Amino acid sequence: DIQMTQSPSSLSASVGDRVTITCRASQSISTYLNWYQQKPGKAPKLLIYAASTLQSGVPSRFSGSGSGTDFTLTISSLQPEDFITYYCQQSYSTPKTFGQGTKVEIK
Amino acid sequence: QVQLQESGPGLVKPSETLSLTCTVSGGSINRYYWSWIRQPPGKGLEWIGNIYYLGSTKYNPSLKSRVTISVDTSKNLFSLRLSSVTAADTAVYYCARATATGYTLEWRGYFDYWGQGTLVTVSS
């Protein structure tokens, strides 16, 4: 199985901060990497697919980059609704696996 | 706008079979892959498996011996059966549309539409 490791597991930041979350795959996954956000009690919502393509309707403050084994999700200016949990997910091979999540909290 | 809705029992006894249905509305089930994903309370996400509208499936090897995913295109729905459940199978179960990126032998893509999720508790 391909292990997806996110760092940090949690972070504290303020509204307006620039935040970067990292996702590392245990082997190369090309750009088959997606990012989701999840509010408590809700289904995950797709933010970015294929490592860097912004899903329709997602604000442009979200961006993704990377290929191979190292990927990043950047939020350029945190908004109050962004203080939730983020997951990366690889679809390169079976089983499709998710990172453990990164919780973004208000400082 | 595509919408997905999970339905099924919220309580299942140990050793019995968990059965859920995902009804797709606002779009056709045809020409897409569809998935089941679960999340134990307070934990991360686990992919259970995919099904193509024509019926081909791919399962998580950790669950493969207990999982069956099927599709009914005439009713625009797909279903999950998980046998011999234990307390470890207690989770919120989500269904999702699995959109493919490109044309590869194995599905590669992303989950772009999700159901709201349904909590299934395994307990006697």
Side-chain angles (χ1 to χ4, degrees):
Chain A
D1 297 6
I2 296 177
Q3 308 302 319
M4 306 300 295
T5 303
Q6 290 181 232
S7 60
S9 296
S10 65
L11 66 90
S12 295
S14 302
V15 173
D17 282 354
R18 180 183 180 88
V19 164
T20 297
I21 299 169
T22 297
C23 180
R24 175 164 289 175
S26 59
Q27 65 187 72
S28 179
I29 58 171
S30 184
T31 56
Y32 292 102
L33 188 284
N34 309 312
W35 289 98
Y36 303 85
Q37 66 174 195
Q38 186 179 32
K39 299 177 182 178
K42 299 294 186 181
K45 172 188 172 184
L46 178 67
L47 294 176
I48 287 168
Y49 63 91
S52 61
T53 303
L54 200 65
Q55 171 68 343
S56 175
V58 173
S60 59
R61 64 180 181 273
F62 292 94
S63 64
S65 65
S67 66
T69 60
D70 294 316
F71 302 86
T72 59
L73 171 70
T74 299
I75 310 172
S76 61
S77 178
L78 272 174
Q79 298 303 299
E81 61 268 28
D82 300 337
F83 291 91
I84 46 181
T85 301
Y86 296 84
Y87 292 94
C88 61
Q89 174 250 325
Q90 65 82 19
S91 70
Y92 182 78
S93 71
T94 293
K96 316 306 179 185
T97 48
F98 292 83
Q100 82 279 15
T102 295
K103 187 173 184 179
V104 178
E105 299 173 310
I106 299 176
K107 184 182 288 184
Chain B
Q1 176 81 342
V2 175
Q3 293 185 316
L4 292 82
Q5 178 68 57
E6 304 91 350
S7 59
L11 181 64
V12 181
K13 290 183 169 57
S15 80
E16 295 190 345
T17 297
L18 177 161
S19 295
L20 295 174
T21 295
C22 181
T23 301
V24 180
S25 59
S28 174
I29 205 166
N30 292 332
R31 297 192 296 114
Y32 283 97
Y33 290 85
W34 304 89
S35 290
W36 287 98
I37 296 157
R38 69 180 183 178
Q39 185 172 36
K43 296 188 178 180
L45 298 157
E46 180 182 33
W47 173 77
I48 298 171
N50 280 5
I51 189 164
Y52 192 43
Y53 78 101
L54 292 176
S56 58
T57 55
K58 198 79 168 179
Y59 300 135
N60 189 323
S62 69
L63 299 169
K64 187 175 182 178
S65 63
R66 300 193 291 131
V67 170
T68 303
I69 299 176
S70 58
V71 64
D72 187 335
T73 55
S74 67
K75 295 182 180 179
N76 230 39
L77 59 80
F78 61 105
S79 301
L80 170 70
R81 288 173 56 87
L82 181 66
S83 64
S84 305
V85 298
T86 69
D89 296 309
T90 293
V92 175
Y93 286 76
Y94 295 102
C95 57
R97 191 178 79 173
T99 295
T101 47
Y103 299 94
T104 54
L105 195 61
E106 177 181 334
W107 176 83
R108 290 171 173 166
Y110 49 89
F111 307 114
D112 54 354
Y113 289 95
W114 296 64
Q116 65 186 23
T118 187
L119 174 63
V120 178
T121 301
V122 178
S123 175
S124 55

